[in-house]
Amino acid sequence: MTDMRRRVFLAGVGASTAALVALTAGQAFDVLAPVNLFAPRVKGQGPQALPVNRTAAQAGVTESAHDTSWRLEVRGAGARLAYTRDELAGMPQTEAVLPIACVEGWSTSAHWRGVRLRDLLAEAGMAQSGTIRIESLQSRGPYRETTMPPHVAWDPLTLVALEVNGGVLDLDHGYPARIIAPGRPGVLQTKWLATIEELPA
Ligand SMILES: Nc1nc2c(c(=O)[nH]1)N[C@H]1C(S)=C(S)[C@@H](COP(=O)(O)O)O[C@H]1N2
Ligand SMILES: [Mo]
């Protein structure tokens, strides 16, 4: 474990555990190793100091996520738009500190950067009252898509994130682009975006 990950990890555990680590200086991770075996996705683990739930390989998107023909499609009633990752990166970017809160029992805050979803919806001429469906590159699995009520979709902190914790999204965190929205469980923070569309009213 690198020093950086170690610091992040220690910052995330309770004082009693920190004391235990101090008492067993030099073998802190031997002490914690059995815990890690049973709960591998603890705070600070995974690329970019953020745990991973479902890797790109497990989701079967490794190739499609790197495909140069990738576009984020945004389909409104009035327009059907497609953005390359560079085009998204060229739009105004917004930063937000928001957690991924997984039902499997971890929650980790991260620093996200990307395009406001509402800016894309507005460009496609969508009304602020519509329900939004977001689909990923993943072809099967329960979390391959999500729907979003208008108050979440138009929230100024709901992002199509391109970066996390100061770097380009890791493939396992949803490269080329993912959703991050406030107040939503991790299962709804869709990774590897493909299409965004307005559902018929
Ligand atoms: N396309 C897709 N998005 C997904 C998932 C998935 O399996 N497929 N898992 C979700 C779950 S359960 C969680 S907790 C978060 C985890 O995001 P992370 O791996 O970047 O931490 O992604 C969510 N987004
Ligand atoms: Mo999750």
Side-chain angles (χ1 to χ4, degrees):
M1 188 166 283
T2 66
D3 281 354
M4 192 208 52
R5 285 197 188 171
R6 183 177 176 131
R7 272 200 305 277
V8 172
F9 179 80
L10 289 176
V13 296
S16 59
T17 312
L20 172 67
V21 170
L23 285 170
T24 57
Q27 28 164 328
F29 288 90
D30 291 341
V31 170
L32 293 173
V35 178
N36 289 348
L37 271 182
F38 296 108
R41 299 185 195 103
V42 295
K43 183 161 186 147
Q45 290 191 349
Q48 301 175 303
L50 183 65
V52 169
N53 198 350
R54 197 159 266 268
T55 63
Q58 287 168 336
V61 300
T62 307
E63 270 184 41
S64 52
H66 280 130
D67 196 322
T68 52
S69 70
W70 181 87
R71 299 285 186 281
L72 177 63
E73 266 201 42
V74 185
R75 301 177 195 145
R80 191 184 178 115
L81 303 174
Y83 301 84
T84 65
R85 194 177 187 284
D86 283 350
E87 286 168 342
L88 292 171
M91 294 176 67
Q93 305 289 299
T94 297
E95 301 189 21
V97 175
L98 292 170
I100 298 279
C102 181
V103 290
E104 290 189 7
W106 54 267
S107 178
T108 299
S109 217
H111 188 147
W112 306 92
R113 188 166 186 270
V115 180
R116 284 187 166 134
L117 177 59
R118 63 181 299 153
D119 292 350
L120 297 172
L121 303 183
E123 278 198 11
M126 292 190 200
Q128 296 204 17
S129 55
T131 298
I132 304 300
R133 194 218 310 272
I134 293 161
E135 279 187 73
S136 71
L137 296 170
Q138 209 179 323
S139 56
R140 62 188 94 76
Y143 312 137
R144 60 171 299 278
E145 64 168 51
T146 186
T147 57
M148 207 179 253
H151 76 273
V152 177
W154 291 81
D155 188 303
L157 290 183
T158 295
L159 304 182
V160 169
L162 305 176
E163 294 183 17
V164 64
N165 291 339
V168 170
L169 274 183
D170 189 276
L171 182 60
D172 287 336
H173 288 312
Y175 178 92
R178 78 170 300 158
I179 286 292
I180 185 75
R184 301 259 286 176
V187 294
L188 304 181
Q189 310 281 24
T190 308
K191 305 196 274 191
W192 314 296
L193 298 184
T195 60
I196 295 173
E197 63 187 326
E198 190 175 29
L199 292 179

